[in-house]
Amino acid sequence: MILGHKPLFVVFREGRIKTDVYLNRTVFYQKRDFSAQKIKDLTLSLTTARANMSWLIKNLKAIYRLKKIPVSNEIKELNEYRIYTLRLNDSISFFLPPRHIRLRKTDPAVFRLALNVAQGPANETVYVGDAEMFTQVASEGGIKIIYQQYNLCLM
């Protein structure tokens, strides 16, 4: 069955279909010279901690006693892999994965939800991000931003 990327993208990102189903319907509807596992392995192998961001995330909580809630657009498998591999549970207060909340960072409602979970006002909240569009959405909701552009942005 060929459905293509666009119709499946939202349900895939929200975790309503598994990676294998998504790849079978968008890439492997015909024979390829590579496997789905090769794609998954490559994607996971690109997971690295950015030194300056890792330092900031780990130390904000310790120094300032802040709650930290990552707002992620990542797919389920990648998000879980990064949480485990980068030991994010050690420094993150709460997670808001898109597969559970059905919101994306382009929607101001995701930032309102994060504020509600953290139980803090927008003017005492900081969004740290590397995508200008997302920092703009956060700032329009009264959240302070730290914007750091990176040369390589992974998923």
Side-chain angles (χ1 to χ4, degrees):
M1 172 188 294
I2 303 171
L3 291 179
H5 171 71
K6 286 185 180 184
L8 289 174
F9 185 68
V10 172
V11 293
F12 173 58
R13 275 290 179 101
E14 290 179 353
R16 293 186 276 161
I17 61 172
K18 296 196 176 286
T19 302
D20 289 329
V21 172
Y22 176 79
L23 290 174
N24 285 337
R25 292 182 181 167
T26 59
V27 177
F28 296 101
Y29 58 88
Q30 65 185 32
K31 185 160 175 45
R32 302 288 182 183
D33 293 335
F34 52 91
S35 68
Q37 192 59 50
K38 288 270 189 199
I39 292 174
K40 291 190 285 187
D41 290 346
L42 174 63
T43 302
L44 296 179
S45 75
L46 295 173
T47 295
T48 59
R50 297 176 179 138
N52 58 343
M53 186 63 83
S54 294
W55 181 91
L56 180 65
I57 297 301
K58 288 178 181 174
N59 288 290
L60 280 176
K61 187 173 187 177
I63 295 170
Y64 298 104
R65 298 179 151 192
L66 300 177
K67 295 175 188 167
K68 294 183 296 185
I69 304 170
V71 179
S72 170
N73 287 339
E74 293 177 332
I75 61 169
K76 179 181 186 224
E77 292 92 340
L78 182 57
N79 187 250
E80 289 173 352
Y81 179 82
R82 286 185 179 182
I83 289 169
Y84 174 78
T85 303
L86 301 176
R87 299 183 58 203
L88 298 177
N89 278 329
D90 295 347
S91 59
I92 300 296
S93 304
F94 308 98
F95 290 92
L96 294 176
R99 67 187 177 278
H100 294 301
I101 62 173
R102 303 282 198 260
L103 296 170
R104 310 272 308 185
K105 288 191 275 187
T106 53
D107 186 339
V110 77
F111 294 101
R112 289 192 299 272
L113 177 61
L115 290 172
N116 286 335
V117 169
Q119 299 179 343
N123 65 352
E124 294 178 12
T125 303
V126 176
Y127 174 73
V128 180
D130 62 355
E132 189 173 5
M133 178 177 31
F134 302 147
T135 56
Q136 181 179 348
V137 173
S139 70
E140 288 169 356
I143 296 171
K144 296 175 184 163
I145 61 166
I146 296 174
Y147 171 64
Q148 175 63 52
Q149 187 175 16
Y150 293 97
N151 292 329
L152 177 63
C153 221
L154 302 177
M155 293 190 155

